[in-house]
Amino acid sequence: MAQQHLEPTDASAGAVTADALAGYLRAQATEFLRALRQHRENGGAAAGGSEASVDAARALRRSSRRISASLHTFRPLLDPDWSERIRPELAWLSGTLALEHAYEARLERLLLALQRLSGAMLPAQVDAVAGSRAAGAARVGATAPASAASGNPGTPTPDRGNLTVGAAKAGALLDRQLTLARTRAHSTALQALGSSRFHAVADNIAVLASEVPLAQTAATTPLPPLAAAAEDRLNDAITALPLVTAGHPYNAEALIHGLSPDPSPHPQDAPWHQVRLLLRLHRYAREVLQDAGIADVRLLAAGEALDRHRDASEAAAAAAQAARTPRIAPATAYALGVLHADQRHEVEAARFAFQQAWQKETVSTP
Amino acid sequence: MAQQHLEPTDASAGAVTADALAGYLRAQATEFLRALRQHRENGGAAAGGSEASVDAARALRRSSRRISASLHTFRPLLDPDWSERIRPELAWLSGTLALEHAYEARLERLLLALQRLSGAMLPAQVDAVAGSRAAGAARVGATAPASAASGNPGTPTPDRGNLTVGAAKAGALLDRQLTLARTRAHSTALQALGSSRFHAVADNIAVLASEVPLAQTAATTPLPPLAAAAEDRLNDAITALPLVTAGHPYNAEALIHGLSPDPSPHPQDAPWHQVRLLLRLHRYAREVLQDAGIADVRLLAAGEALDRHRDASEAAAAAAQAARTPRIAPATAYALGVLHADQRHEVEAARFAFQQAWQKETVSTP
C-alpha cells in the first residue's frame, strides 16, 4: 500500500537518494539561518513591531522540525554520531520555542469558548477579539518586558461585558494562570536563544547549510523504502485507533473520565497525539521525495484535525486544572466544568473530522 | 404530500368518518377505565408490589393523551361544549400523573451520566443500577409513605464508590433535590386521584366508553382531511427547525447559552418540544384512521429522538439549577457544570438523531 503512494517517484527511484535528502536538508538549514537573522533583526526591538519576530520564530520551529524529522526518517543515510547529537538539540529548541505560542493559543481558545458558551457574541466580534489579542499580546519575538507579557492594563483582552459572572471569573482565572505560564515560557525562550547551547545548534545548522554529513553508504541507499517505512508506521498507528467509534457522531467517548480524579491528560488521547506526530513525519518524508500533490489536501485536513484534537485536549486539561485552584467561587468552578466538557467535545469532534478526512483518502486512493 | 400518507385509506375515505373516531374513543375510554380499576386494586396496597400500579398509571396517562389528542384533531366532529370542557381536565390529569415519573427518570439519567463521566462503570453495572432504581423507588401507584419515597436507607441507590468526590457530591445533591420533587409530585398525584375533580373526569370517561358525544354534522364530516391538517401542522413545524445545522455533527449549537445567566430552559429547545407534541398528535391521528404500518418505524424513531431531546434538555436544566444551590463546594459545582454540558450535548445528539430519522422518511416516501 505504501508503495502505491510512492509510485510517482518509482520510475526514478534510483535517483532519489542522498542528493535529494542533502538538497532538502541544505534548504531547511538555509531557511533556519534566514529565520534566525530575521529574528535577531526584529527581536532586538521593543514590544509592538513584533509581527516579523513572531513569523521568524515560527519559521525557526518549522525548519527545526523538518530537519529533525528528516534525520529520523532517513537515519541510515546520515553520519550517525552527528545525527544523534543534533536531533535532541533540535527537539529542545522547537519545544522551547513552541511553548509560549501554545499557552497564548490555549488562552485564546478558552476565552473564545467562554464567550460562545455565554451565547452573546457574534462571529464578527469573535474575529475582532482574536485579532486584538493576536496584535496586542507579547511573544517570544518581541523581547518585551515581562510586565507587558503578564497582561498589564495596556494589553487588549476579550470583552467580558457579555459574560455571566461565573464565565467572567473563569475567564479571568484562566487569563491569570495561562498568561503567567506564557510569560515564563517567554523568558525561557529568550534565555534559550541567548544561550551557548543554542549557539552550538546554530553553528551546526550553519555547517549543514553548506555540507550535509552523510554516511559512507549514503550514495547507494535509496530513500523511498525509508519513506515507505515511515508511512507504514503511520498506517499501523492509525489502524490501532478506534476509528469506527470516532466515525459514529456523538459517541460520547471523549468525555468518559471527564470527572475522573486523575489530573493528567486523558490517556485515551495519547494514541491520537502519536498519530499526529507520525503523520507529520510522513508529510515531511514526502517533501524530501518531492512526492507532494495528489493526497496532500487530505493529509493536511487529517493533520489539521489532529492539531485541533491536541489543542482541545490541552485546553480541556487547562480548564480542569484551573478548577482545582483553591478558594474559587462555585459559579467559577461550574463555568470551568462546562468549559472542560465543551473542549472534550471538541476533542470528540476532531476525532470525527479525522476519521472523515482519512476515510476519504483511503477511498480515493485506488 | 399529506394525502400520500393517507392513501391506504383513500379508497374508503367516505367510510372513515365518525364511526372510526367513535370506535377509537370508546376503546381508549375503556382502556382508561380498565387502568383505573387496576390502579385502585394495586394502588391501595403498601409500597413494594407496585409494578402493576406503575403500569396502571402509565396506561391512564396513555389513554388520557390519546383521548385528548383526538378531541383536538377531530374537533369538528365532536360536541364542542363537552369537548372543550373535558380536554383541559385530561391535560391536568396526564400532566399530574407524568410528573413523578419525570423526576424519577431525570434523576436516573443524571446519576448514570455522572457514573459514565467518572469512567469507572461497565455497561452491565449501568443496567444493574437502572434496574435496582426501577425496582426500589416509590411511585405514584405505590401509595408509599413519604419516608420511603424520600430516599430512606432502604432505597437502593447507584453505587457511588467509583465516583470522584465532586461527582459523588453532585450526585448526592441531585438525589436530594429530585427525590424531594418526586415525593411532592407523588403526594400531588395521590391527592389528585382522590379528588372530586378526578372523579368528575372518570365519570365523563365512563360515559365516553358507551356513547361518544358527536356533533350534529359528524356523520357527513370525513376524518382524513382533519388528520392531513394535523400532519401539515407537523410538517410546517419541522420545516421551521434548523435541520441543516442539526444534520451537521458536532455543530456545537446546543451548548450556546450554556453559561447564559437565564435560569429558564434554553429557548432554542422550544420549537423541538413543539414538534414532539405535533408528532404525537400526528401519530394518534394515524391510529384513529388505522393508517399504521409503512412509516411507523420512522415515526417512532423520530419520536424517540424528540423524547430524548426533551429528557436531556430537562436534565441539563436540573444540573444547572442544582449548581445554584447556596454554599456548595467548588468541586460539586464543577461536576455539575460538566454534567450540564454533557446533557446539552445529548440534546444536540438527539437533534442529529431526529434529523437522520426524518431524512430517511422523506427519502423513502416516493
Side-chain angles (χ1 to χ4, degrees), chain A residues 173 176-177 320-330 332-333 336, chain B residues 329-331:
Chain A
L173 179 61
R176 210 156 55 235
Q177 294 186 343
Q321 186 59 43
R324 287 187 201 96
T325 309
R327 288 180 300 282
I328 57 173
T332 311
L336 289 168

Side-chain angles (χ1 to χ4, degrees), chain B residues 299-332:
Chain B
L299 278 185
L300 281 176
E304 274 166 18
L306 293 173
D307 287 350
R308 185 175 152 214
H309 179 275
R310 194 262 325 257
D311 292 346
S313 166
E314 292 182 347
Q321 185 60 42
R324 288 188 200 96
T325 309
R327 288 181 299 283
I328 57 173
T332 311

Side-chain angles (χ1 to χ4, degrees), chain A residues 2 37 84 97 125 135 157 173 176 179 201 266 302 306 336 353:
Chain A
R37 204 164 45 242
E84 272 160 35
L97 292 180
Q125 291 175 285
T157 50
L173 179 61
R176 210 156 55 235
T179 301
V201 176
H266 291 231
L306 293 173
L336 289 168

Side-chain angles (χ1 to χ4, degrees), chain A residues 114 116-119 164 167 246 248-252 255-261 316 319-320 323 328-331 333-338 340-342 345 348-349 352, chain B residues 114 116-119 164 167 246 248-252 255-261 316 319-320 323 328-331 333-338 340-342 345 348-349 352:
Chain A
L114 277 176
R116 173 168 49 78
L117 294 171
S118 298
T164 57
H248 184 76
Y250 300 107
N251 55 70
L255 201 50
I256 285 186
H257 304 285
L259 290 175
S260 143
I328 57 173
Y334 176 80
L336 289 168
V338 172
H340 171 78
D342 174 71
H345 277 95
E348 197 178 297
F352 176 74
Chain B
L114 276 176
R116 172 169 48 79
L117 294 171
S118 298
T164 58
H248 184 77
Y250 300 107
N251 56 70
L255 200 52
I256 286 188
H257 304 284
L259 290 174
S260 145
I328 57 173
Y334 176 80
L336 289 168
V338 172
H340 172 78
D342 174 71
H345 277 95
E348 197 178 297
F352 176 75

